[in-house]
Amino acid sequence: MVDEPVGVGDGIGDSTGTRNSVTGGRLEALEKLLAEQRGEIARYAAEHSVPVREPPDGPCGPPPPGLPPVPPAPDLLDALPIAVMVVLPVFDERGEVRDFCYVGQNAATLERSARDIPAGTLPPWSGSVPLFERFPNMADTPIPRLLAEALRTGRTQGPEMAEWSLSGPDGRVVRMSSEVRATPCHGLLLLTWEGEQETRTAQAAQRLVRVCWAEWNLGDGTVEPSSALRDVLGLSASQPVPDLLGLARMVAPVSLVPLYEVIYDVLLRKRVAECDLHLVRPSERIVRFVAEPVRPEHGPVWTVRAVLHDVTDDRYSRARAEQAVREARAQRQRADAIAEVAERLRDAVLPRFPAELARHGIEAAAVYRPEARAARVGGDWYKARVLPSGQVLIALGDARGHGLDAVTLMAKLRSALAGLAFTGELVEALTGWLNMVACDDGQESTATAVIGRYHPDQGLLRWTCAGHPLPILLRERRARLLDPPQGGPGPPLGVLPGEKYAAAEILLYPGDVVLLYSDGLIERRGSDLDQDCSRLLQAADSCARGGIPPGDQALDAYVQALVHQLTGPRPEDDATVLAIRVTDGDIGGW
């Protein structure tokens, strides 16, 4: 008994010699399997064979009594299931063929004409008419040549495809298509028409989708292939169709075990099996091999019938798609890792408002809403802290871009501002120094910012603007933009080295709220800045219509409602708002 397929060719060696040895072992196993199956077939044939005996009175014995006479030729023609036209060659004085006359047909011809040719297309048939006068377009087909060659050689010519057309009475063109043979018969020619539409369609289907089939007869070693087998296997017309062992020699070593398992399942388990075959000879390609057993009832599998489909393009496309998915997944993982690092860095550097703000008459709340798309952490940052002088530093900025680079620049600017603010210099000087830090960081290190210092003893806020949206003052439930510094806002940080920035001043009263925000809160694709600002002011008024109770939590709820109203659940960009409210300890809210 043949070994189970799991024991064939375990492992692949590292050296060429080892690989050749493994391949040879697998081929030997397949050859052994096929040989044993041929032995089974031979034993079955011997057990069920019946000897041929010659009757004593000759091959057919004595003729039966009352044998009817041979029917006339027309009756014989009518008995044929294919269309037959009887053609008479017409010769000239020199004995050369001058024309062919259509002189008769069988019943199958009349049935086909009635089915395929509309009534009124052809004139009534007189019993003898020149063939190419009745069917003019037939003259441009292989039929004249087939008739002439059959007459000259005395042998059947064809089959060949013949296509021509007839013009119907309603202007419709009728297409005729058949395989044609011309056969000489006692001075006449029989033109036979065989409808091969199904065969031609099958051949076209094989060609279009690169599929074929074959039957390997293990009893006599023959192979019955379809017309496309050589094309699917990459063989030329002169190369022989391989038997199953020859097919195994065409595949890569990796396909030998699957092929063996399929043949094993078909021959011994008598079931349908399939696998992919990686062909390496005569050219590289991938063929899907689906096989089934063919056998007599209660007998061994005699024939392996298989469908082969060239799936090279499909498998390569699938491999490219899977590679693209793997690369996209890896990029997503890298992006997620960068986003996680950026998010943790943001959490590390963004402030938690110190309790001492309240002792200096300030309540603070901030909301950061990242862009809805994944792994797109931006460079928004803010700061609110009490300086040693008792003044309060207030700032909000937006570093250019997204991802780790933006977060890194954000952290650098925020940390630099925290250190510079301890010098006690005016905010315009702080902004100029911060611009120098951004310029030294590189051409792509740009950012916008609003930087302010609140003087609690005077109720005065002094602030600068570096290419950033202007702050909003919310007073008595009405919102307005703060007037910009003299000369207008300065350029973004990191653009012009040595730039001088001017400061604006405003007196704040208890209950006043100053809103600093990033442009992601208001900017929308296709809108203009005036519309964006108007929408922001309306939202600020609307959210404050019922008043903002005292306390950081109420201020935070107000900012949350404002951001949600302006950005919705999926912001198109990072949106950050920092709200500062002035208190005096006696105010209980609006």
Side-chain angles (χ1 to χ4, degrees):
M1 186 63 183
V2 178
D3 294 336
E4 285 290 327
V6 293
V8 179
D10 295 331
I12 295 180
D14 295 331
S15 67
T16 302
T18 303
R19 287 196 299 270
N20 290 339
S21 175
V22 171
T23 300
R26 292 168 176 169
L27 288 173
E28 289 176 4
L30 180 59
E31 187 174 16
K32 179 182 177 183
L33 173 64
L34 295 174
E36 293 202 2
Q37 189 66 16
R38 284 192 292 269
E40 289 288 330
I41 294 171
R43 285 189 290 274
Y44 175 85
E47 294 172 359
H48 293 78
S49 63
V50 178
V52 178
R53 298 178 181 178
E54 188 76 16
D57 297 326
C60 294
L67 185 69
V70 176
D75 292 343
L76 290 176
L77 291 179
D78 286 343
L80 295 176
I82 61 174
V84 180
M85 296 172 63
V86 182
V87 178
L88 173 69
V90 180
F91 300 92
D92 59 16
E93 300 81 2
R94 294 176 298 178
E96 297 181 355
V97 176
R98 175 171 56 86
D99 204 352
F100 294 98
C101 282
Y102 173 27
V103 296
Q105 72 282 309
N106 68 346
T109 302
L110 297 176
E111 292 174 2
R112 181 171 181 183
S113 297
R115 183 182 71 244
D116 297 342
I117 302 176
T121 300
L122 296 173
W125 184 57
S126 62
S128 178
V129 62
L131 179 64
F132 300 122
E133 287 184 11
R134 186 169 180 83
F135 305 107
N137 290 338
M138 192 184 290
D140 297 328
T141 70
I143 292 175
R145 173 174 52 80
L146 294 176
L147 291 172
E149 285 296 306
L151 188 62
R152 184 182 66 82
T153 64
R155 295 192 301 270
T156 298
Q157 302 296 313
E160 289 191 30
M161 287 303 306
E163 296 190 12
W164 75 99
S165 60
L166 295 169
S167 298
D170 55 356
R172 184 177 53 159
V173 177
V174 180
R175 174 177 173 268
M176 307 296 294
S177 176
S178 291
E179 273 195 342
V180 182
R181 286 183 174 87
T183 303
C185 181
H186 296 285
L188 297 173
L189 295 168
L190 302 182
L191 200 59
T192 58
W193 311 84
E194 299 184 37
E196 295 293 331
Q197 188 64 29
E198 291 185 3
T199 301
R200 294 178 61 210
T201 301
Q203 292 173 347
Q206 293 180 64
R207 184 182 68 257
L208 290 173
V209 300
R210 298 186 60 78
V211 68
C212 64
W213 51 88
E215 290 189 356
W216 284 273
N217 187 324
L218 302 183
D220 58 14
T222 59
V223 184
E224 291 291 334
S226 70
S227 59
L229 179 65
R230 284 186 173 86
D231 184 50
V232 169
L233 296 180
L235 300 171
S236 65
S238 62
Q239 290 178 289
V241 175
D243 58 14
L244 289 174
L245 195 60
L247 179 65
R249 293 191 177 100
M250 297 172 62
V251 305
V254 70
S255 293
L256 285 175
V257 167
L259 177 59
Y260 178 91
E261 291 175 347
V262 167
I263 302 302
Y264 185 97
D265 282 347
V266 171
L267 296 183
L268 301 185
R269 293 174 177 156
K270 300 177 178 62
R271 65 188 186 191
V272 176
E274 57 186 289
C275 68
D276 278 356
L277 299 179
H278 293 251
L279 272 63
V280 293
R281 286 181 294 273
S283 61
E284 291 190 12
R285 61 188 62 200
I286 302 173
V287 173
R288 189 65 180 168
F289 184 77
V290 184
E292 68 173 357
V294 179
R295 64 191 183 101
E297 188 176 4
H298 307 303
V301 175
W302 204 296
T303 298
V304 176
R305 178 187 295 143
V307 174
L308 297 90
H309 183 198
D310 186 345
V311 294
T312 307
D313 293 341
D314 176 69
R315 295 296 188 270
Y316 285 167
S317 297
R318 185 181 302 175
R320 288 192 294 269
E322 292 174 351
Q323 178 64 25
V325 169
R326 287 193 295 269
E327 291 178 356
R329 186 179 296 117
Q331 292 177 359
R332 177 62 180 268
Q333 290 173 348
R334 288 194 294 270
D336 289 345
I338 292 174
E340 183 179 359
V341 171
E343 191 68 40
R344 292 192 177 187
L345 180 57
R346 166 179 292 282
D347 291 341
V349 299
L350 288 181
R352 303 293 184 267
F353 298 120
E356 60 179 339
L357 285 176
R359 295 196 295 271
H360 290 75
I362 290 293
E363 291 178 347
V367 171
Y368 167 68
R369 187 73 58 81
E371 182 183 355
R373 286 177 289 180
R376 295 272 294 175
V377 178
D380 290 3
W381 57 276
Y382 57 89
K383 193 169 189 66
R385 67 169 301 170
V386 178
L387 299 173
S389 63
Q391 299 165 358
V392 180
L393 177 66
I394 302 169
L396 186 142
D398 183 1
R400 179 182 183 273
H402 290 83
L404 193 56
D405 290 342
V407 176
T408 303
L409 177 59
M410 172 268 287
K412 185 179 298 184
L413 294 177
R414 184 179 174 277
S415 299
L417 177 61
L420 293 171
F422 273 78
T423 63
E425 288 291 336
L426 299 175
V427 290
E428 41 266 65
L430 297 181
T431 307
W433 292 341
L434 207 59
N435 178 55
M436 293 173 59
V437 172
C439 289
D440 292 342
D441 197 62
Q443 294 182 352
E444 300 299 322
S445 296
T446 61
T448 64
V450 169
I451 300 171
R453 181 184 282 123
Y454 176 64
H455 302 255
D457 56 339
Q458 305 175 43
L460 177 67
L461 175 65
R462 300 189 74 253
W463 59 278
T464 62
C465 181
H468 201 82
L470 297 176
I472 286 178
L473 173 64
L474 189 64
R475 177 176 289 170
E476 296 180 354
R477 306 179 190 178
R478 299 291 298 174
R480 69 174 179 87
L481 291 174
L482 292 182
D483 295 329
Q486 187 174 4
L493 305 174
V495 175
L496 298 174
E499 181 68 17
K500 303 296 184 182
Y501 291 86
E505 297 182 355
I506 184 173
L507 289 174
L508 298 180
Y509 300 97
D512 284 350
V513 176
V514 176
L515 299 176
L516 278 60
Y517 53 93
S518 62
D519 57 8
L521 181 69
I522 57 172
E523 289 185 356
R524 297 292 179 271
R525 294 183 181 91
S527 64
D528 59 43
L529 184 59
D530 290 339
Q531 290 178 343
D532 294 337
C533 291
S534 177
R535 187 172 63 252
L536 172 59
L537 293 174
Q538 291 175 5
D541 284 348
S542 174
C543 293
R545 185 172 297 124
I548 306 175
D552 294 339
Q553 292 183 351
L555 184 61
D556 181 77
Y558 168 77
V559 177
Q560 294 279 3
L562 175 64
V563 172
H564 180 77
Q565 181 170 330
L566 289 168
T567 65
R570 295 182 59 82
E572 297 180 4
D573 196 359
D574 296 328
T576 303
V577 177
L578 171 62
I580 301 295
R581 178 162 58 180
V582 177
T583 67
D584 62 359
D586 295 329
I587 294 188
W590 292 344

